[in-house]
Amino acid sequence: MPTIDDFKARLQGGGARANLFRAIITFPGFAGGDTELTSFLCKAAQLPASVVGNIAVPFRGRNINIAGDRTFEPWTITIINDTDFAVRNAMERWMNAINEHRNNKGLQNPSEYQTDMSVQQMDRQENVIKEVQLFGCFPTNVSAIDLAYDSNDAIEEFTVELQVSYWTSDTTS
C-alpha cells in the first residue's frame, strides 16, 4: 500500500493551485474594453469543459454506445466591479452590438462580434504550466449586480457567460 511519502513524491510542484491563473479577455474594437484591466479584475475563470456526446444504438435488447459529436460548454468568468464600471460597460456595449436593446437589430457576421481569448494556469513562479485558447467567444449573459443596504464590506462582482465555438490547449493543438 502506498504511503504518504509516496504521494508527496509524486505530486509534481506541490499540486496545481486554482488561484494561480490569468484570463486574457479580448474585446472587439467597438466595445472599447481594456484587455489588461479586465484580466486584472477577473476574479474567477475555469479551464473550460468539452463533452463528447454519446449515441446509444439499440441492438437486441442492449444499447451499444458510440462516440457522438464534441460540444463546448459556455465559459464563465467572474469580474470584480470598479467604480468606473469599465469592464461592465464594455460587456454591455458588446452585447448591445450583437442585439440592440431598443430595436432588436445587431451585427450579423460572426467575425464582427466574436473574439479569441485564453486562460493560463501558472505555477508559483508565474510560469505558464497549462494554456487553453478559446476561439469564437462572445458574451450571452452579463449577470445582475445585487444591491442591498446590508451589503457592508463587500465589493460588487458580476459574472459573464461567454459562448465558445471551440478551444485547444497545449495538449490538443
Side-chain angles (χ1 to χ4, degrees), residues 147-154:
L147 307 172
Y149 284 139
D150 60 353
S151 291
N152 295 338
D153 301 323

Side-chain angles (χ1 to χ4, degrees), residues 36-50:
E36 185 176 335
L37 176 66
T38 305
S39 296
F40 185 75
L41 294 177
C42 183
K43 174 187 167 185
Q46 309 84 29
L47 294 175
S50 72

Side-chain angles (χ1 to χ4, degrees), residues 65 85 101:
N65 294 307
F85 282 73
H101 287 252

Side-chain angles (χ1 to χ4, degrees), residues 22-26 45-49 72-77 114-120 131-138 162-169:
R22 178 184 308 122
I24 301 165
I25 314 299
T26 55
Q46 309 84 29
L47 294 175
F72 297 90
E73 301 289 319
W75 189 51
T76 303
I77 57 174
Q114 293 180 357
T115 66
D116 300 336
M117 301 183 184
S118 67
V119 60
Q120 301 169 335
E131 182 168 14
V132 176
Q133 299 284 334
L134 302 110
F135 298 93
C137 302
F138 64 97
L162 298 138
Q163 297 303 312
V164 177
S165 294
Y166 69 97
W167 60 260
T168 62
S169 72

Side-chain angles (χ1 to χ4, degrees), residues 12-64:
Q12 294 294 317
R17 306 296 173 105
N19 64 337
L20 298 175
F21 75 96
R22 178 184 308 122
I24 301 165
I25 314 299
T26 55
F27 295 87
F30 61 79
D34 183 330
T35 297
E36 185 176 335
L37 176 66
T38 305
S39 296
F40 185 75
L41 294 177
C42 183
K43 174 187 167 185
Q46 309 84 29
L47 294 175
S50 72
V51 177
V52 174
N54 179 56
I55 303 168
V57 180
F59 178 75
R60 296 186 180 177
R62 300 196 184 232
N63 283 335
I64 299 170

